[in-house]
Structures are given as structure tokens and as C-alpha cells.
Amino acid sequence: MVDEPEASDSLRTFGAVLQALREHAGLGREEFGALVGYSKHTVASIELGRRMPDLAFVQRAEAALGHTGALRRSLPTLARQPGLAAWFRKWARLEQAAITMYTYECRLVPGLLQTMAYATALATDNLPPLDDAQIEERWIARAQRQQLLRERPNTAFGFILEEQLFQRRTGGVEVTRELIDHVLEIADLRNVEIQIMPLIQESHAGLQGPLQLLETPETQWFAYLEGQESGQLISDRKVVSVLQRRYARMRSQALTMQDSVGLLQRMRGDL
């Protein structure tokens, strides 16, 4: 169990302003959530400074609370939150309102599925080296993002992970055991699909590298491709369509969800 991540000062301030405006309007969290299209739990997380509000939330909140401009003016400050690489922040904001998210990874277990021990092991190997504060900062930002899996039960999450990610035993045997247990727990969520791409696979549509796909409430699709020191957010429909077809092919090439769970359980038992 991971401790609740601490909120940054800017997120807490934004949340306090939102709560004050909502209460001034005489709206409860559930009533306000219905107006802006978010659950009362999401509203609570934002008001408590535990979650980054996305642009759609801010726009709808402004309309519901009288167009004061206070929330809209504070959003750029929030976008500079620590713990996330600068090139990743725009994608992270899109995640907050996504209705579908697909991820294929061949390098490391994606952040939404990591444990603190696994994330720390990755950060420890970072070059140039990170200090303890930077490592903690990265984990807090990652833990905040992971709340999406449980706080957005109507969002469909799909993950295709290479078998070797678990065979590598990053951080050691105990870290890997905990990681597999965590992934198996997440796989039980109704809104999450996890498939393993087997180590021996003669036909593989994802050899060009990792990719992420995302669908917004307006049914617009985006893609995100990440390199070692940069990331590329793609909105071009033709390019996104190609990446969607590659991901769809990989879904047919990877193990089924049931077989993937079975493989993870066997790998866990072999450790």
C-alpha cells in the first residue's frame, strides 16, 4: 500500500479556490460534479490538491461557477508542477479526461502500473544521478497519475507489456514479486485490460517502439511517442490512425487477458 501523495502548494491553492467558489454557489460536490461531468470523488481529489485538473474541467467549472476567471488564470501555474518531464505534461493533462487509453511498452513497466519500489529502482539508475528529493518528487507525481485507474472507472485502460519487462527483475527479486502482485491486482479492475506480449513472437506489429493512444470525451484521438530525452504528442489523424492499427494488430498477437494473468502468476511463482 502506497501512502497518499502529498499535494503541492499550487494544487492545494487551486483546490481551495475551487471549493470556496463551489460552496459560495451553494453546490455540493456531487451536484457540482454532475454539472461539469466528473464524479464527486474526482471533485474531492482536485479540491484536496491531490489531482491535477485538466483543461476541460477548468472550462466547465468556470461556466458552472459564474466565469470568475480565477480558475482559468491559475491553470498555467499548475502545468509547471514538479515531478513530470516538461515534454510529458501536456499528455498528462489530456489523461485526466480521457475516456480510452492504450499503452504498449517494451522498455519498462509504464508509470500507471509501477510500484514505489520499482519506480525507485528505475530512478536510482538514472544518469545524471538524482538526489533523494528528486526521486521522491517523481514518485509523488507518478502516484497521483495512478489514481486515474480507480477514480475513472468509466475510462477504458489497455496495456500491452513485453514479457521481458518482468524477466529483467529490475530492482531485484523482491521488487519484481511486489510488482507482479500489483499488476495482477490492477488486472482485476473492470476497466483495465492487461496483455503480455510473449518473449517468442515471430510476428510483432510493435517493433518500432513503445506508443500510447488516448481518446478524449470529444472522441478525438491523440498519440504519444517517447524517446530518451524527449516526447512527441501527435494529433495528426493520419499518423494516429496508423498507430491505432499497429496497436490493434498487437492486441491480436499478444496473449489473451486470461493467459496473460496465468503467465504472470507462473512467473511470480518461479521467483
Side-chain angles (χ1 to χ4, degrees):
M1 180 70 70
V2 176
D3 293 335
E4 187 72 32
E6 297 179 1
S8 68
D9 290 341
S10 59
L11 284 175
R12 277 194 294 263
T13 300
F14 180 93
V17 172
L18 173 64
Q19 182 173 351
L21 290 172
R22 174 181 60 76
E23 291 177 348
H24 180 73
L27 298 171
R29 282 175 175 165
E30 187 168 5
E31 186 180 4
F32 174 72
L35 287 174
V36 297
Y38 291 79
S39 72
K40 64 179 181 180
H41 304 293
T42 299
V43 174
S45 292
I46 293 175
E47 290 186 349
L48 293 172
R50 295 173 181 162
R51 177 168 176 170
M52 174 78 176
D54 58 85
L55 179 59
F57 178 91
V58 173
Q59 291 174 336
R60 296 173 193 175
E62 283 280 6
L65 299 174
H67 291 288
T68 66
L71 302 177
R72 185 178 62 254
R73 286 193 296 271
S74 63
L75 186 61
T77 302
L78 296 180
R80 292 192 290 272
Q81 63 176 332
L84 295 178
W87 63 80
F88 186 75
R89 290 172 187 160
K90 188 171 183 179
W91 178 262
R93 292 199 296 275
L94 288 172
E95 283 184 334
Q96 301 294 318
I99 61 173
T100 307
M101 284 186 61
Y102 293 137
T103 299
Y104 163 66
E105 257 298 351
C106 56
R107 307 163 304 166
L108 46 82
V109 172
L112 288 176
L113 299 177
Q114 291 178 9
T115 62
M116 182 166 62
Y118 181 84
T120 300
L122 293 175
T124 301
D125 288 334
N126 192 82
L127 290 173
L130 303 173
D131 60 33
D132 289 345
Q134 290 172 313
I135 292 174
E136 181 180 11
E137 189 176 80
R138 287 190 176 195
W139 169 246
I140 289 173
R142 203 156 296 175
Q144 287 177 326
R145 287 181 57 230
Q146 290 181 357
Q147 295 177 41
L148 293 172
L149 297 173
R150 300 183 186 277
E151 288 187 353
R152 297 191 63 83
N154 299 121
T155 296
F157 295 90
F159 298 91
I160 298 176
L161 311 175
E162 292 287 344
E163 180 181 346
Q164 82 242 11
L165 300 182
F166 302 94
Q167 292 185 334
R168 186 173 294 127
R169 300 184 181 182
T170 299
V173 171
E174 289 303 320
V175 171
T176 304
R177 282 198 189 104
E178 181 190 28
L179 177 66
I180 293 177
D181 286 342
H182 178 66
V183 172
L184 287 171
E185 179 184 343
I186 296 298
D188 279 338
L189 298 175
R190 289 195 300 272
N191 61 325
V192 177
E193 296 181 356
I194 293 179
Q195 292 180 262
I196 302 298
M197 184 69 76
L199 186 62
I200 299 176
Q201 177 57 266
E202 295 183 1
S203 179
H204 193 325
L207 296 180
Q208 291 87 346
L211 68 91
Q212 296 185 64
L213 296 164
L214 175 154
E215 182 185 12
T216 71
E218 295 75 32
T219 67
Q220 182 178 2
W221 283 86
F222 292 89
Y224 179 74
L225 307 177
E226 187 169 273
Q228 292 215 1
E229 293 295 329
S230 65
Q232 181 182 12
L233 179 64
I234 301 172
S235 59
D236 185 291
R237 293 183 178 180
K238 291 183 179 179
V239 178
V240 173
S241 177
V242 170
L243 297 175
Q244 285 176 309
R245 294 199 298 272
R246 289 178 186 170
Y247 189 88
R249 177 67 62 83
M250 281 191 285
R251 291 180 76 175
S252 69
Q253 295 168 334
L255 300 177
T256 66
M257 290 184 290
Q258 183 176 358
D259 289 344
S260 296
V261 166
L263 176 58
L264 287 172
Q265 291 171 335
R266 291 193 299 274
M267 294 173 68
R268 169 65 166 82
D270 290 339
L271 291 173

